[in-house]
């Protein structure tokens, strides 16, 4: 890398590590714990890239972005923050930060992003926009990589015109994602209208929903439940949209591609709704968020007038180990019940056992046939890939593309299973360690468990 990087962070350790890493990579580095100093450097024309924390002793790094844009429109700013909420990701996107990384961040990943920022073309200046009041918090909690990736995607699609299809299991928070996209978009002062299958069974249903939305956002809740007649009505409605049409969003807890293959869901409707697809992870897929969510719901109950409660260490372990088939909604209801039933401020393991004792265990969701062989599953997806081209052959180079699509997740999952240990991963895969290293480099795989900073 070649260039000068300005680093602003109140954590001396992070400043030191970034300075050393960037210097070894060939950069010049100016590091400070003060936004005032950072802004002076920017105004003096120093720096080719800025790496800034959000919460600084003398201000908020996000609030400095518009001023940086005025001073230096072409200066990329990478935001890093321990405030790992969707609000931070959205605010960084709105302020037109070049990139956003939550803490703890992966150092090699940050170095790659910095290298891309140094090579980037001129960027448009961030715009200071007068905005109407909007909620300061959203009921979306999570610091796991899966949720951080979801936050960044929400921030990117927030003000696009593309329709959004939000999929995920029941209770995972699909409707909250849709509401977040609306509440933090330019349409936030306009109506947010949710319709379900019952609302669309009549001939006039779609037209009535469209009239209620009035240029805001229109959410089709559980679109997979629509009858064939309702699907046809929605297609006709979408084809008749005008320039003042609402933002179209839909949620589904079923695999619409499977429904489409079986003829239960219209292909034309699927493509009209799936401009951007957001997959909301199940709670069991982000186990590290469970204690955070539980504490959030207990605190929320306290704000609503309930007595103060917190999970004991043993109770938290049990909550974390439970499968939560009802996802976030089930966890929230369990915490509300524990607030009422627990006798002391510290909730015990026995009290958690009492609440969870009669609740269901996990029932794995399998998209294919029961006991389906891997080869059959691959064949099913390959047939679908060919079918989606509508009778036209896919572009040349299919063999290498398919190998890449299989190889990438295989290596990522194997690395994850071995905790990022490349020697163990190579042994698991049955390949040479040097071959694994080359594939990691060629496929641009981030070994995120190896080196993280708080």
């Amino acid at each position: 890398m070649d260039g000068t990087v300005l680093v602003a962070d109140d954590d001396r350790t992070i400043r030191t590590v970034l300075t050393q890493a960037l210097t070894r990579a060939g950069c010049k580095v100016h590091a400070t714990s003060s936004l005032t100093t950072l802004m002076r450097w920017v105004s003096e024309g120093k720096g080719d890239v800025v790496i800034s924390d959000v919460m600084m002793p003398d201000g908020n790094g996000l609030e400095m972005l518009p001023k940086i844009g005025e001073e230096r429109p072409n200066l990329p700013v990478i935001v890093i923050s321990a405030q790992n909420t969707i609000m931070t990701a959205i605010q960084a996107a709105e302020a037109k930060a070049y990139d956003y990384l939550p803490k703890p961040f992966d150092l090699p990943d940050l170095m790659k992003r910095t290298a891309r920022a140094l090579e980037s073309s001129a960027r448009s200046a961030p715009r200071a926009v007068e905005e109407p009041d909007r909620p300061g918090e959203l009921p979306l909690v999570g610091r796991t990589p899966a949720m951080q990736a979801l936050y960044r995607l929400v921030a990117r699609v927030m003000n696009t015109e593309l329709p959004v299809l939000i999929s995920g299991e029941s209770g995972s928070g699909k409707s909250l994602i849709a509401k977040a996209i609306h509440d933090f978009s330019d349409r936030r002062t306009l109506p947010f209208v949710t319709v379900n299958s019952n609302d669309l069974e009549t001939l006039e249903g779609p037209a009535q929903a469209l009239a209620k939305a009035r240029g805001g956002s229109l959410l089709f809740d559980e679109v997979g439940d629509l009858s064939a007649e309702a699907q046809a009505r929605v297609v006709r409605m979408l084809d008749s949209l005008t320039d003042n049409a609402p933002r179209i969003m839909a949620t589904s807890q079923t695999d619409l591609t499977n429904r489409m293959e079986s003829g239960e869901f219209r292909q034309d409707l699927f493509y009209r709704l799936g401009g951007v697809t957001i997959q909301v992870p199940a709670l069991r897929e982000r186990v590290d968020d469970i204690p955070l969510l539980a504490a959030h719901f207990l605190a929320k109950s306290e704000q609503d007038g309930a007595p103060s409660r917190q999970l004991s260490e043993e109770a938290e372990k049990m909550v974390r180990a439970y499968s939560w088939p009802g996802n976030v909604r089930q966890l929230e209801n369990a915490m509300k019940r524990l607030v009422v039933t627990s006798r002391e401020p510290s909730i015990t393991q026995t009290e958690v056992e009492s609440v969870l004792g009669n609740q269901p265990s996990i029932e794995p969701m399998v998209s294919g046939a029961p006991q389906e062989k891997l080869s059959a599953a691959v064949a099913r997806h390959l047939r679908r890939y060919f079918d989606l081209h509508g009778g036209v052959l896919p572009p040349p180079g299919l063999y290498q593309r398919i190998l890449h699509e299989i190889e990438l997740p295989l290596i990522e999952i194997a690395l994850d299973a071995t905790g990022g240990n490349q020697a163990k991963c190579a042994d698991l895969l049955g390949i040479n360690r040097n071959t694994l290293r080359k594939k990691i480099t060629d496929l641009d795989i981030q070994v995120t468990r190896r080196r993280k900073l708080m």
Side-chain angles (χ1 to χ4, degrees):
M1 289 190 288
D2 183 24
T4 301
V5 181
L6 308 180
V7 176
D9 198 297
D10 61 344
D11 189 317
R12 179 181 296 178
T13 301
I14 289 181
R15 292 199 306 271
T16 301
V17 169
L18 289 180
T19 298
Q20 292 175 348
L22 290 165
T23 301
R24 285 197 299 268
C27 295
K28 296 180 181 178
V29 182
H30 297 288
T32 179
S33 61
S34 166
L35 286 177
T36 302
T37 302
L38 172 65
M39 292 307 300
R40 176 169 56 81
W41 289 340
V42 170
S43 63
E44 291 173 352
K46 294 180 179 179
D48 301 300
V49 170
V50 173
I51 300 176
S52 177
D53 194 5
V54 173
M55 303 306 295
M56 298 284 283
D58 56 346
N60 185 303
L62 289 174
E63 294 174 358
M64 294 294 104
L65 286 176
K67 187 174 180 181
I68 292 174
E70 293 174 5
E71 294 270 0
R72 305 271 299 281
N74 302 331
L75 181 63
V77 180
I78 299 175
V79 174
I80 56 177
S81 175
Q83 306 297 314
N84 302 339
T85 70
I86 191 171
M87 282 294 300
T88 308
I90 288 174
Q91 289 169 353
E94 286 186 335
K96 298 193 181 300
Y98 177 83
D99 212 337
Y100 159 72
L101 276 81
K103 294 180 179 180
F105 57 80
D106 180 54
L107 183 58
D109 184 28
L110 177 57
M111 295 294 287
K112 286 187 177 181
R113 293 171 190 250
T114 304
R116 288 196 292 266
L118 286 168
E119 298 170 357
S120 68
S121 59
R123 298 183 61 88
S124 60
R127 295 176 289 119
V129 180
E130 290 187 10
E131 300 177 340
D133 290 339
R134 64 187 186 182
E137 293 294 336
L138 281 170
L140 292 169
V141 177
R143 295 181 179 178
T144 54
M147 287 303 290
Q148 292 302 315
L150 187 149
Y151 294 163
R152 288 194 291 270
L153 180 56
V154 167
R156 287 198 297 270
V157 306
M158 190 171 54
N159 281 316
T160 67
E161 298 300 318
L162 292 170
V164 177
L165 176 61
I166 307 168
S167 60
E169 295 180 12
S170 176
S172 59
K174 300 184 295 295
S175 296
L176 291 179
I177 296 295
K179 192 67 166 63
I181 292 173
H182 173 81
D183 285 348
F184 288 84
S185 73
D186 295 338
R187 301 175 186 260
R188 66 181 68 95
T189 59
L190 298 171
F192 177 81
V193 176
T194 301
V195 293
N196 56 36
S197 57
N198 292 332
D199 299 317
L200 300 169
E201 289 302 324
T202 61
L203 288 173
E204 63 275 8
Q208 291 175 346
L210 198 60
K212 289 179 183 178
R214 291 186 292 106
S217 297
L218 179 57
L219 174 66
F220 295 101
D221 188 39
E222 293 304 333
V223 70
D225 294 339
L226 296 182
S227 65
E229 294 79 8
Q231 291 178 39
R233 295 187 190 107
V234 173
V235 168
R236 289 193 292 271
M237 184 204 79
L238 295 177
D239 285 343
S240 65
L241 295 179
T242 63
D243 292 339
N244 194 36
R247 173 74 174 276
I248 301 298
M249 292 185 278
T251 65
S252 176
Q253 62 177 306
T254 60
D255 187 342
L256 293 182
T257 55
N258 285 344
R259 298 284 301 277
M260 189 170 59
E261 288 179 349
S262 65
E264 298 175 89
F265 198 81
R266 292 175 62 117
Q267 189 177 65
D268 53 358
L269 179 55
F270 177 81
Y271 291 124
R272 282 166 173 80
L273 294 175
V276 176
T277 299
I278 297 177
Q279 180 69 41
V280 184
L283 192 52
R284 64 182 177 277
E285 295 171 354
R286 53 184 185 111
V287 175
D288 290 342
D289 284 335
I290 292 176
L292 187 67
L293 280 160
H296 169 77
F297 291 133
L298 292 174
K300 182 180 176 183
S301 294
E302 184 179 353
Q303 293 171 2
D304 294 337
S308 175
R309 294 288 186 266
Q310 62 183 10
L311 294 173
S312 67
E313 184 175 348
E314 294 77 13
E316 182 177 303
K317 288 180 180 178
M318 174 163 286
V319 168
R320 182 185 173 93
Y322 183 63
S323 57
W324 299 108
N327 291 295
V328 179
R329 185 185 299 125
Q330 182 189 9
L331 175 62
E332 180 177 15
N333 290 336
M335 293 304 105
K336 287 180 178 178
R337 184 173 173 183
L338 283 167
V339 167
V340 175
T341 59
S342 60
R343 299 178 180 179
E344 301 293 336
S346 180
I347 298 171
T348 66
Q349 178 180 344
T350 302
E351 289 168 331
V352 172
E353 288 175 346
S354 176
V355 167
L356 297 183
N358 296 322
Q359 300 204 27
S361 60
I362 191 65
E363 296 180 4
M365 295 181 64
V366 181
S367 58
Q371 307 300 322
E372 183 179 35
K373 292 184 178 179
L374 178 60
S375 59
V378 171
R380 179 165 50 82
H381 285 285
L382 286 174
R383 281 194 297 270
R384 181 168 61 194
Y385 178 77
F386 274 84
D387 291 342
L388 291 177
H389 284 78
V392 179
L393 289 177
L398 178 62
Y399 184 77
Q400 289 300 326
R401 286 203 306 277
I402 295 299
L403 288 183
H404 178 275
E405 290 292 329
I406 295 175
E407 188 175 45
L408 178 62
L410 173 61
I411 293 177
E412 287 182 331
I413 292 170
L415 282 167
D416 184 64
T418 56
N421 187 309
Q422 294 184 19
K424 290 183 179 179
C425 182
D427 184 61
L428 176 65
L429 295 172
I431 61 177
N432 183 275
R433 187 175 180 181
N434 291 332
T435 301
L436 176 62
R437 286 175 174 170
K438 186 176 186 303
K439 290 183 179 295
I440 289 173
T441 301
D442 293 343
L443 296 171
D444 195 24
I445 295 174
Q446 305 300 320
V447 189
T448 56
R449 293 193 177 186
R450 300 206 53 179
R451 189 172 186 180
K452 288 187 174 182
L453 298 174
M454 295 301 294

